[in-house]
Amino acid sequence: MTRLKKTPKLGILTNGLVKENPVLVSLLGICPALAVSTQSSNALGMGIAATFVLICSNIAISSARGIIPKRVRIPCYIVLIAGFVSFVQMFVEAFAYPLYQALGIFLPLIVVNCIVFSRAEVFARKNSVINSAVDALGMGAGFTLALTAMASIREILGSGTWFGISIPLLSTYNIPIFTMAPGGFVVFAILIAIVNKVSRGKALRRTEFGCAGCPSEHNCGKGGQ
């Protein structure tokens, strides 16, 4: 069994907000981030859904880390994550159908979201259940914060509204390109630059990449190098 790491809970929780923000630092989950960030309500809904899946999958994978064989851990992760995503998808469809329609294919695609897989592989399988749950909460909050920030800027400038509420002047004189793909990339780049400036470049240091965090570590022949 993997030796558990002892890490302060507060540090784990706050890592996902800025230092290891999954979207603005690790550059994970970019496709759904750009696709659903045209409306703030859609971004918030996507963030909450992904956070729920993150927490549940991290807890499940951490709990089962001692019984999942290393060579088949990725298929096992997929099965566990797919179960939680299916629950979220049916729940949203039943109780928030407009959001279900707005998120479209990106809701079921949480199954293969890089953020969920990276936390399962890099953190949950090596840490305790509580730490894994805290990590998932922090990463989910960071993902939600990044999406909501992007969506707020794009919706306000591109549509003149915020969470569907009309903003005087901007509702008439808006910049529609911000609701399109080019505007999304511009806002995304600006937010990355802001995070880099605020953290003085420290947020962009990668400490968890390499063979140790690769799902194919035991198959490619480089794991021991």
Side-chain angles (χ1 to χ4, degrees), residues 2 21 34 42 51 67 83 103 124 159 195 213 219:
T2 305
N21 186 282
L34 292 172
N42 297 344
T51 300
I67 61 175
L103 296 181
S159 302
V195 169
N219 300 322

Side-chain angles (χ1 to χ4, degrees), residues 14-22 25-26 119 139 203 207-208:
T14 57
N15 274 346
L17 297 178
V18 178
K19 185 179 179 181
E20 297 179 18
N21 186 282
V25 176
S26 299
R119 300 324 296 174
M139 289 295 163
T207 59
E208 294 183 333

Side-chain angles (χ1 to χ4, degrees), residues 88-123:
V88 169
Q89 186 177 359
M90 290 186 290
F91 182 88
V92 174
E93 184 178 9
F95 297 100
Y97 191 69
L99 177 62
Y100 174 80
Q101 288 183 308
L103 296 181
I105 190 62
F106 292 99
L107 185 58
L109 280 180
I110 295 176
V111 173
V112 290
N113 191 299
C114 297
I115 301 172
V116 180
F117 269 101
S118 68
R119 300 324 296 174
E121 178 69 13
V122 173
F123 197 93

